[in-house]
Structures are given as C-alpha cells and as structure tokens.
Amino acid sequence: MHVTKRMARLRLITYLAPSIPLALYEALGEYLGRALGVPIALESERRRSGPTAADNPFARDEADVGFLCAPCYLALASAPRPAVSLVGAAPLYDDPRCGGRPVYFSELLARPGLAVSSLPALRGVRWVYNDELSLSGFHSVRRRLAEGGLGAPGSFFVSAEPVGSHLAALDALLAGEADVAAIDSCTMALQRRERGSELDALGLVESLGPHPVQPIVARRSLDAELQRALVEALLVAHGDAELSPTLEAVGIAAFVAVSEADYTHEAIFGCLRS
C-alpha cells in the first residue's frame, strides 16, 4: 500500500478534538504513516469545527488531510475554486442506531433539575453550543426548531452562547450555567464511559439526527495516487492490531466508503437555507 511518490510529510489537521479525543488522530496518524510509508505531522485546531473561507489551510497548502464537521466540508466544496475534495472513507460508529451507516446523532440535554420532555417546552431557556460551524451542536438545533415551526434560535431561546467545545457545553449544563445543549452522540458515549453517574442528572429531551458523520477531506491538489492509497488504508484500518484498540475505545467499528451523495445540503441542513 506504500505510495511510490515520496513526500516530505503528510500533514493532518483535526478540528474535532478535544470533543473526540486527540489520541484518536494521533493513533490514526501513526497508522497512516506505517500504511502509506510517509512521515506524518498532526495539528489540532480547537477554536472551531472546521476551516473557513477566510482561514483555510488547504488553500494555503499548509494541510493535506483534515477531519472536520460536515457543514464546513459542504461550504468548502461549494466554493468557486474548491481547495478540498472528499476522502471516500469515514467512520462507522458502533451506536446501534447507525444501522451500519456512516451517521451520528445529537443528544439534546437539559441541565439537572430542569424537567422538560419536549423541545417546545424549552422556549425561553439558556442554550449553549460549541461553535456555529458544528452540525451536531449548532445546526441540528436550528434544523429541529425550523422543522417544528418554532422559529430561529435567537427568538426561541433567551440566550445563545458559543462555549468552544461539546465538553465545555456539558460542563456548563452540569454547573447550572446553561439550561440546554446538543451534544455529539460520539462525544456523549465517551463521556458516559469516563464520567459515569456524574452525567445521570442530565435530562434527555430528544435525540436529533441522524446526521452525516464527520467527513475526512484532502487538499484537492494532493497527489491522486496518495489519495487513493489513503482511502484504501482507511477502509482496512480496523484490522490493524496497533490501531484497533484505539478505534474500539472511541466507538469506531470501522471506516466505510462514503461519497458526495452522503453530504448533500438536504442531508446536512434539511429545510434550512444555509
């Protein structure tokens, strides 16, 4: 599977840590280095869920492969001169609700002591989210409000505040500093394993989704042979003895084939215009 064209290094960037552990991307980088026969560099951008048109390391030739949220991919891919292309493999989580599909969910959670059982009952509460580029934390709630005819977040909630990550949103709920947040189901499953009964006081209002799972992208000008080898390596990654314990620990059963048809505007935003 080693590529014939040598590179100085393959530069990976993740926008999904710390909500999805950085250790996953470190282990993936080590695996890809072995599988592809290229040195690996990894960067973690924690300020947002993906690159923007104004700050795009792929367009600047500063990154080769990225892990990001679906709205960011769609925005970059829709640009007049796209700087990225979709890598044809993405995580399949072991959540039974996924049913073998590359999808995930948002858990809409209420703070301890807030007894609500439906989204309409949340009118006038304090909402926090990780950032405005996030599908699970931000756009899932916008979409659900629109589908229910409940208006925009700015008019439905008394306040809406970005807090930087799903982990920060969880902490805000537990501390009573916020009333409701939508948490990535992958993150939530990990946090339940790590924090156990501490999270039992949170109320589940409803699960939102399914959403297209977080895509992997490549710099569009990246060598085509390397891009093909990258997909091949990911599709068999679950069989690697060194990597598989890390995948299992974060709830990834395998990487499966995906295409642009999995990341349409309708699949990501539904009835929202943007």
Side-chain angles (χ1 to χ4, degrees):
M1 197 181 296
H2 283 39
V3 295
T4 56
K5 185 176 181 179
R6 297 296 298 176
M7 294 185 64
R9 57 180 178 166
L10 186 67
R11 301 162 297 177
L12 312 183
I13 184 169
T14 178
Y15 292 85
L16 304 178
S19 299
I20 297 177
L22 184 61
L24 167 64
Y25 305 103
E26 293 171 339
L28 268 175
E30 292 173 3
Y31 164 71
L32 291 173
R34 296 194 306 272
L36 302 177
V38 296
I40 300 293
L42 173 65
E43 180 182 351
S44 177
E45 169 56 76
R46 299 184 174 216
R47 293 174 297 174
R48 54 183 178 271
S49 296
T52 64
D55 186 7
N56 183 352
F58 300 98
R60 298 193 301 267
D61 191 16
E62 295 175 356
D64 301 310
V65 176
F67 306 85
L68 53 133
C69 212
C72 302
Y73 160 69
L74 189 61
L76 295 179
S78 302
R81 298 179 63 184
V84 302
S85 57
L86 182 70
V87 170
L92 170 66
Y93 282 92
D94 61 11
D95 187 329
R97 297 174 295 179
C98 294
R101 299 169 296 162
V103 298
Y104 72 123
F105 298 81
S106 305
E107 312 300 0
L108 188 61
L109 302 174
R111 65 165 171 79
L114 183 62
V116 292
S117 58
S118 68
L119 184 64
L122 292 173
R123 184 178 293 277
V125 305
R126 300 166 297 169
W127 176 44
V128 293
Y129 54 90
N130 47 340
D131 67 86
E132 292 187 2
L133 300 178
S134 170
L135 176 53
S136 57
F138 182 77
H139 289 291
S140 68
V141 176
R142 292 181 63 226
R143 174 173 178 165
R144 180 65 181 87
L145 289 173
E147 290 171 344
L150 299 171
S155 59
F156 183 79
F157 298 112
V158 70
S159 62
E161 180 183 359
V163 292
S165 72
H166 286 296
L167 301 183
L170 268 179
D171 288 340
L173 291 180
L174 291 169
E177 297 168 353
D179 298 311
V180 65
I183 307 298
D184 178 332
S185 59
C186 316
T187 300
M188 198 62 197
L190 282 168
Q191 290 301 302
R192 287 200 182 280
R193 292 179 205 168
E194 294 180 7
R195 300 167 75 165
S197 59
E198 179 186 0
L199 303 183
D200 290 347
L202 297 173
L204 176 63
V205 181
E206 60 180 277
S207 291
L208 309 178
H211 314 306
V213 78
Q214 299 95 334
I216 304 171
V217 303
R219 177 170 50 83
R220 186 171 286 269
S221 57
L222 187 66
D223 178 72
E225 180 187 359
L226 179 57
Q227 291 198 48
R228 288 192 295 270
L230 172 64
V231 174
E232 292 174 5
L234 288 169
L235 292 177
V236 298
H238 59 284
D240 183 78
E242 293 184 44
L243 177 61
S244 59
T246 301
L247 296 182
E248 181 180 354
V250 299
I252 294 177
F255 287 85
V256 297
V258 294
S259 70
E260 293 179 2
D262 294 299
Y263 296 96
T264 64
H265 188 282
E266 176 63 26
I268 295 170
F269 296 115
C271 60
L272 296 173
R273 294 184 179 179
S274 61

